[in-house]
């Protein structure tokens, strides 16, 4: 196992100096995130503040063109009613659309519009395999993998092969579990976190002390992809639900790089 | 003669007296030959003095009324030792006169062992002006907090789109809506490649609904798009060539 040709900045640098075969096995894992589609609901104080600010702005603001036009037309109507057809300058042939009519038309249009529901069906069923759940928070992909003789829930990971960068290892991990047509964007070349563990004594040898897993983050670009490609069990979970599936040590390292805004 | 207002009679009296005394002395020194002229001149003098005092009184009265202690009429003359004591402009560094044309290229090297991005533009576009402005402010303040140098923070000109509604079984297009697109740009530099993904993730997660975010490197084309083209100048140049 010669030293690899090219290393990414930061994390892997201190590997280059070791010439002897390293006892650690390297894995690249991918944390695939689906970004939230809608904003989180406001807190009570935020809502009150927003209402107050809206009212202040409304009181301080000036009339817009449309409102001025509407007021003028109301004035004209009133004057015309009082002084019956005294000022007949407008040619009766011209049809004038009043501002009030426009407003009524818009009101009708608004009533016909139906917004999509914020709480989807998947939320109600708590179907953790669907992507339509929890539209206001980040969703992460968890896959059931076999390590040694244990079946564990992990972020998809694959062993590093000499000659490739860790980032491409992570991309390969994603491709193996989800297929090639994934539109996910990785932002940088540096990993976000590392989890180191030693094998149990039975398997441990001189050359194979343990494994190091490097985490990378990717953002899902398109919301719909053929999920039929997934062979093993998979789940899309939020940060809070990670605790149900991951082991505590692993969870601690993973939580360090997860932004939950 | 118009009666002066009662409240300012005292304050007007003193300058009136002083001025009157000065002029009176001058007239007396002139000699008795100018007695006739004296009367005329006195009349003129009175008018002059009155004009002076009339000018003095409203100013003084409003000063007294305002009660502003800092604004005083006692500025020292050039012979007074403390003349010009409050001046400070000569102590400030000289401002160089502004050049007409702004030179562009400030690109840094992108390739190297320490990866660092050159000028990066964060462009935010939306139909809602308040939202995009607030988001631009937020991004600017975030960069300040994270000690990222912000070169510029500017707005691109607003684009107005008219949405015309074509009725079914009709040929006339009606104006349905007028949409204005607003764009704000925050230009940063000195972003290290290890920190860039984190910053992008923060901005992405805080993106409000309805705002389109675009992060790209600054190019000359971006700079040129801010300047207005001058067709007459271009025509003349083309004619010359």
């Amino acid at each position: 196992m010669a030293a690899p040709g090219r290393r990414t900045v930061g994390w892997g640098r201190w590997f280059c100096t070791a010439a002897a075969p390293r006892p650690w096995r390297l894995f690249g894992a991918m944390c695939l995130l689906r970004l939230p589609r809608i904003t989180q609901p406001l807190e009570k104080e935020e809502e009150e503040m927003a209402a107050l600010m809206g009212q202040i702005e409304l009181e301080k603001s000036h009339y817009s063109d449309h409102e001025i036009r509407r007021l003028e037309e109301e004035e004209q109507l009133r004057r015309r009613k009082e002084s019956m057809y005294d000022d007949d300058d407008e040619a009766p042939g011209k049809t004038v659309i009043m501002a009030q009519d426009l407003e009524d038309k818009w009101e009708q249009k608004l009533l016909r519009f139906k917004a999509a529901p914020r709480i989807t069906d998947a939320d109600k069923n708590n179907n953790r395999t669907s992507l339509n759940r929890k539209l206001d928070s980040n969703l992460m992909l968890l896959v059931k993998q076999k390590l040694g003789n244990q079946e564990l829930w992990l972020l998809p990971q694959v062993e590093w092969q000499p000659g490739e960068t860790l980032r491409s290892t992570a991309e390969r991990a994603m491709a193996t579990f989800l297929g090639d047509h994934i539109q996910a964007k990785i932002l940088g070349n540096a990993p976000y976190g590392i989890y180191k563990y030693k094998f149990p004594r039975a398997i441990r040898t001189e050359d194979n002390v343990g494994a190091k897993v490097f985490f990378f983050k990717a953002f899902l670009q398109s919301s719909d992809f053929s999920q039929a490609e997934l062979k093993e069990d998979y789940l899309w979970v939020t940060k809070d639900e990670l605790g149900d599936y991951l082991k505590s040590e692993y969870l601690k390292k993973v939580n360090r790089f997860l932004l939950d805004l | 003669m118009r009666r002066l207002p009662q409240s300012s009679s005292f304050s007007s009296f003193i300058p009136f007296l002083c001025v009157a005394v000065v002029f009176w002395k001058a007239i007396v020194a002139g000699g008795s030959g100018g007695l006739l002229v004296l009367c005329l001149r006195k009349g003129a003098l009175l008018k002059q003095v009155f004009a002076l005092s009339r000018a003095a009184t409203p100013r003084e009265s409003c000063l007294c009324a305002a009660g502003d202690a800092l604004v005083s009429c006692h500025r020292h003359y050039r012979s007074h030792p403390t003349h010009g004591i409050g001046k400070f402009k000569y102590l400030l560094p000289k401002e160089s006169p502004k050049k007409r044309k702004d030179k562009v290229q400030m690109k840094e090297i992108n390739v190297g062992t320490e990866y660092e991005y050159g000028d990066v533009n964060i462009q935010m576009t939306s139909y809602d002006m308040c939202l995009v402005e607030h988001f631009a402010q937020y991004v600017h303040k975030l960069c300040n907090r994270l000690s990222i140098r912000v070169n510029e923070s500017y707005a691109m000109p607003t684009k107005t789109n008219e949405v015309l509604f074509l009725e079914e079984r009709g040929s006339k297009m009606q104006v349905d809506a007028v949409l204005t697109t607003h764009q704000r740009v925050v230009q940063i530099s000195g972003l290290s490649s290890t920190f860039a993904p984190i910053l992008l993730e923060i901005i992405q997660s805080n993106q409000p609904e309805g705002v389109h975010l675009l992060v790209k490197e600054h190019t000359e084309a971006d700079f040129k798009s801010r300047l207005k083209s001058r067709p007459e100048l271009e025509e003349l140049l083309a004619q010359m060539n």
Side-chain angles (χ1 to χ4, degrees), chain B residues 55-160:
Chain B
T57 34
R59 195 177 53 175
E60 276 199 50
S61 67
C62 72
L63 279 173
C64 299
D68 198 351
L70 293 171
V71 180
S72 68
C73 323
H74 311 296
R75 286 168 63 212
H76 295 296
Y77 191 63
R78 277 182 255 184
S79 51
H80 197 275
T82 57
H83 174 69
I85 194 169
K87 284 191 189 167
F88 64 92
K89 282 250 170 79
Y90 68 95
L91 290 171
L92 295 175
K94 288 268 180 305
E95 279 178 18
S96 56
K98 262 191 171 161
K99 279 192 286 209
R100 258 316 269 209
K101 180 101 188 266
D102 242 329
K103 291 298 164 207
V104 181
Q105 305 295 69
M106 255 187 64
K107 276 267 303 247
E108 263 201 28
I109 40 156
N110 262 337
V111 198
T113 46
E114 285 307 322
Y115 278 72
E116 224 183 64
Y117 288 101
D119 293 341
V120 169
N121 276 359
I122 305 178
Q123 294 176 343
M124 293 153 274
T125 331
S126 173
Y127 292 124
D128 187 1
M129 186 165 79
C130 302
L131 202 56
V132 79
E133 276 187 349
H134 281 292
F135 189 49
Q137 271 182 18
Y138 166 74
V139 167
H140 195 137
K141 286 193 172 165
L142 183 77
C143 294
N144 283 348
R145 250 189 301 159
L146 300 169
S147 329
I148 301 173
R149 214 181 102 214
V150 175
N151 287 345
E152 285 183 288
S153 173
Y154 55 86
M156 298 293 276
T158 322
K159 300 195 183 100
T160 318

